[in-house]
């Protein structure tokens, strides 16, 4: 657990992480900004909304696990908080461990597993665990869990008695594992929708800003978009702990120092980038044969049309856990076998796990049932029924997809690739997954990309204006 300490002087402000023991009695004014304030309020100050309801949901900040509030201009108001051990994040970590996955890491696997089960098998039992009061605070029956005792075993004997034997890592899934995952996912969604109704009634705001680790549950976010009273939601791409420094900085700058809001985080491409000269030096140093193309998007689209799987390393790296077209592995979603092929030969991960589609914004409504934009791949929607057989490799078992909508002005090269593939095939949609193998981070540098390319079943890599292919 940590507190974010911000020191304000006459010359400006600084942000950092320290311990309480480092605090001196004299000196500049010190603001301790709790973890949850770095989430929801901080995300509000970089959102496109002047006014919004605010919701932070996490495993735990210092002790807060959820934060409900309202933001208008530079001011925020807290409506209610929940505190550990009453935590939706810990609730979901428990079922993640029950399914044989790593906690605080593999929750996305649980979300992907859930559509394969029947939520109704255990839903009524799971509903007994969690309740929400009139102010949106969360309350749990802790007899199902051990995490409140700081145990690495999240589930209690009662949990196993009711839900069955847990899966050990590497074992086959049994039907009750799938059904428990489905029930916990469904109750998570229903609980957050109940909180959203309370938030709307208390704020009457048109928009919702949601953050914290649980906000990365894109299936939940999709239901908020479809079923809540809010017109749209904003979830920044680094909505978990990786974005707390950004949130803390803007909370201090805009709220505490009352400086004008001057930044909207709608562009996720804020990381490192490499010039063609830098890339070519790496390729020459590795003695790799390559070709140069003025229009690398056209060449890559031609390979995708033929069913090739390519690594796509272009421009400035994206922030957050989702690959958004700068450090991506791409394929043609029209090939039915493509999902299984990439899982087995490239990503080396579980066969059930789905892949996400990226489409140009103009084609969104033709293929997907989503009324709003989804630039950060954090809102799951349904693939239109008449299109599911056309893009089977990105349609999950329940007909859903974690969509990314792509604008030309944000990533022109990626946009042009998708558009050119659409011209060739009639389907302006690509399968997009992160450029890495399971258990490793997304590639950052040309060295990383080349290493991943030669250690996987990728057919080609488009890196800058250069193309490398395997014979």
């Amino acid at each position: 657990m940590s507190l974010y300490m911000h020191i304000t002087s006459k010359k400006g402000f600084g942000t950092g992480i320290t311990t309480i023991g480092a605090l001196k009695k004299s000196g500049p004014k010190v603001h301790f900004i709790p973890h949850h304030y770095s989430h929801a309020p901080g995300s509000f100050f970089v959102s496109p909304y002047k006014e919004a309801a605010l919701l932070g949901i996490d495993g735990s900040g210092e002790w807060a696990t959820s934060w409900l509030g309202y933001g208008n201009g530079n001011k925020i108001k807290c409506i209610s908080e929940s505190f550990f051990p009453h935590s939706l994040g810990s609730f979901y970590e428990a079922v993640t461990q029950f399914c044989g996955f790593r906690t605080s890491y593999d929750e996305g696997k649980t979300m992907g597993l859930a559509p394969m089960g029947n939520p109704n098998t255990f839903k009524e039992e799971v509903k007994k665990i969690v309740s929400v009061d009139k102010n949106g605070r969360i309350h749990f029956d802790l007899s199902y869990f051990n995490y409140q005792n700081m145990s690495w075993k999240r589930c209690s004997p009662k949990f196993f008695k009711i839900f069955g034997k847990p899966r050990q890592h590497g074992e086959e899934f049994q039907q009750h594992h799938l059904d428990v995952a489905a029930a916990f996912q469904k109750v998570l969604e229903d609980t957050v929708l109940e909180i959203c109704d309370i938030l709307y009634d208390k704020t009457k705001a048109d928009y919702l800003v949601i953050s914290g680790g649980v906000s990365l549950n894109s299936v939940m976010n999709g239901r908020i978009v479809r079923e809540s009273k809010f017109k749209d939601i904003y979830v920044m791409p680094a909505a978990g702990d990786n974005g707390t420094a950004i949130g803390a900085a803007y909370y201090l700058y805009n709220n505490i120092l009352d400086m004008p809001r001057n930044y909207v985080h709608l562009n996720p491409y804020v990381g490192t980038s490499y010039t063609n000269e830098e890339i070519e030096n790496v390729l020459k140093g590795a003695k790799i044969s390559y070709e140069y193309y003025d229009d690398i998007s056209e060449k890559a689209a031609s390979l995708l049309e033929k069913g090739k799987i390519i690594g796509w390393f272009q421009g400035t790296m994206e922030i957050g856990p989702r690959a958004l077209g700068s450090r991506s592995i791409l394929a043609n979603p029209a090939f039915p076998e493509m999902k299984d092929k990439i899982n087995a030969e490239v990503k080396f991960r579980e066969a059930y796990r789905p892949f996400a589609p990226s489409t140009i914004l103009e084609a969104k409504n033709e293929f997907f049932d989503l009324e709003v934009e989804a630039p950060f791949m954090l809102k799951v929607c349904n693939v239109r029924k008449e299109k599911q057989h056309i893009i089977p490799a990105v349609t999950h078992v329940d007909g859903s997809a974690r969509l990314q909508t792509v604008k030309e002005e944000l990533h022109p090269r990626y946009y042009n690739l998708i558009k050119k593939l659409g011209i060739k095939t009639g389907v302006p949609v690509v399968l997009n997954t992160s450029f890495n193998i399971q258990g490793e981070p997304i590639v950052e540098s040309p060295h990383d990309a080349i290493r991943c390319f030669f250690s996987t079943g990728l057919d080609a890599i488009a890196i800058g204006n250069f193309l490398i292919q395997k014979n």
Side-chain angles (χ1 to χ4, degrees):
M1 251 175 279
S2 64
L3 289 171
Y4 292 78
M5 186 180 81
H6 304 267
I7 304 176
T8 306
S9 68
K10 293 181 180 179
K11 294 183 179 179
F13 70 92
T15 63
I17 303 175
T18 187
T19 61
I20 296 176
L23 177 60
K24 296 182 178 179
K25 293 183 179 179
S26 61
K29 186 176 181 180
V30 177
H31 300 278
F32 284 103
I33 299 179
H35 186 268
H36 57 279
Y37 262 57
S38 300
H39 277 315
S43 292
F44 169 64
F45 292 123
V46 300
S47 78
Y49 311 135
K50 179 183 177 182
E51 177 188 20
L54 311 179
L55 176 59
I57 319 176
D58 209 352
S60 67
E62 280 60 58
W63 290 109
T65 60
S66 72
W67 191 93
L68 283 69
Y70 169 75
N72 192 336
N74 276 30
K75 302 303 177 184
I76 60 170
K77 179 180 73 173
C78 178
I79 294 173
S80 69
E81 297 177 87
S82 302
F83 296 95
F84 190 84
H86 300 279
S87 165
L88 277 171
S90 298
F91 164 87
Y92 206 79
E93 284 180 346
V95 73
T96 295
Q97 188 175 74
F98 176 81
C99 291
F101 302 133
R102 292 170 294 179
T103 59
S104 302
Y105 189 85
D106 285 337
E107 280 70 28
K109 294 183 180 181
T110 307
M111 183 183 72
L113 184 70
M116 303 182 71
N118 180 0
N120 295 323
T121 305
F122 293 106
K123 187 177 72 172
E124 292 306 313
E125 189 66 36
V126 179
K127 284 173 63 177
K128 297 177 184 177
I129 298 175
V130 57
S131 62
V132 178
D133 68 23
K134 64 180 182 179
N135 290 312
R137 295 186 183 91
I138 309 162
H139 303 275
F140 282 85
D141 180 346
L142 296 171
S143 64
Y144 290 80
F145 305 109
N146 273 334
Y147 67 78
Q148 67 271 25
N149 302 316
M150 302 303 173
S151 171
W152 70 270
K153 291 184 178 181
R154 295 327 200 252
C155 307
S156 72
K158 178 179 178 179
F159 191 107
F160 301 134
K161 182 178 180 180
I162 293 172
F163 298 119
K165 182 181 177 182
R167 171 182 174 264
Q168 300 303 311
H169 181 70
E171 289 182 350
E172 293 293 324
F173 290 103
Q174 303 300 317
Q175 187 60 46
H176 74 280
H177 299 135
L178 310 180
D179 293 343
V180 171
F184 271 73
Q185 173 66 33
K186 182 67 164 57
V187 171
L188 171 72
E189 297 166 15
D190 290 346
T191 302
V192 174
L193 281 170
E194 185 177 353
I195 294 171
C196 286
D197 285 342
I198 294 169
L199 252 180
Y200 181 83
D201 289 341
K202 290 183 177 295
T203 65
K204 301 301 181 185
D206 287 333
Y207 299 100
L208 171 68
V209 174
I210 181 171
S211 61
V214 179
S215 72
L216 295 174
N217 192 301
S218 51
V219 176
M220 176 190 77
N221 295 340
R223 284 195 65 192
I224 295 173
V225 170
R226 293 191 301 274
E227 300 178 35
S228 78
K229 298 174 184 176
F230 298 107
K231 293 180 179 179
D232 198 1
I233 66 173
Y234 174 81
V235 189
M236 77 161 294
D241 288 350
N242 52 347
T244 51
I246 298 172
Y250 278 99
Y251 172 74
L252 176 68
Y253 186 72
N254 295 129
N255 184 265
I256 294 177
L257 299 182
D258 201 28
M259 300 299 289
R261 292 173 63 178
N262 58 5
Y263 177 69
V264 176
H265 189 94
L266 292 177
N267 184 347
Y269 308 106
V270 295
T272 52
S273 62
Y274 296 85
T275 65
N276 275 333
E277 181 181 5
E278 291 172 320
I279 294 169
E280 189 169 26
N281 286 338
V282 173
L283 298 178
K284 287 180 177 179
K287 298 181 180 180
I288 294 172
S289 297
Y290 58 88
E291 299 171 283
Y292 177 92
Y293 289 91
D294 288 323
D295 190 347
I296 193 68
S297 296
E298 171 66 29
K299 181 60 181 178
S302 296
L303 293 174
L304 294 176
E305 181 187 13
K306 298 173 183 176
K308 302 295 184 181
I309 305 170
I310 68 171
W312 180 254
F313 185 105
Q314 301 293 338
T316 305
M317 188 172 182
E318 53 274 269
I319 187 174
R322 305 275 78 85
L324 300 173
S326 285
R327 306 290 186 270
S328 292
I329 291 172
L330 305 178
N332 189 334
F335 289 84
E337 73 282 359
M338 192 59 73
K339 180 176 82 75
D340 291 339
K341 186 175 182 181
I342 296 175
N343 273 331
E345 299 177 8
V346 180
K347 300 287 286 189
F348 307 121
R349 66 181 200 176
E350 298 89 347
Y352 75 86
R353 293 179 64 184
F355 290 108
S358 296
T359 188
I360 58 175
L361 182 61
E362 297 86 345
K364 168 179 68 71
N365 294 335
E366 181 183 354
F367 289 86
F368 303 96
D369 184 13
L370 183 67
E371 296 181 0
V372 299
E373 296 182 25
F376 306 143
M377 202 183 282
L378 287 171
K379 302 170 186 175
V380 166
C381 62
N382 292 318
V383 181
R384 295 194 180 278
K385 288 185 178 181
E386 68 274 15
K387 299 293 184 181
Q388 292 180 11
H389 72 283
I390 296 176
I391 49 173
V394 293
T395 302
H396 202 16
V397 293
D398 60 350
S400 68
R402 192 181 64 209
L403 175 65
Q404 178 197 6
T405 55
V406 182
K407 284 185 172 180
E408 185 174 15
E409 58 265 33
L410 285 183
H411 203 323
R413 183 164 282 187
Y414 189 43
Y415 177 95
N416 287 332
L417 164 68
I418 301 170
K419 186 174 182 179
K420 289 175 185 293
L421 179 63
I423 293 172
K424 295 176 184 295
T425 65
V427 183
V429 181
V430 296
L431 181 156
N432 173 17
T433 187
S434 55
F435 197 159
N436 67 318
I437 63 173
Q438 180 172 235
E440 293 190 359
I442 299 175
V443 303
E444 183 274 321
S445 68
H447 289 97
D448 296 337
I450 292 167
R451 174 180 173 273
C452 186
F453 172 62
F454 282 111
S455 61
T456 66
L458 287 170
D459 297 305
I461 178 174
I463 179 168
N465 284 85
F466 304 102
L467 182 76
I468 310 165
Q469 297 189 73
K470 291 175 182 171
N471 295 324

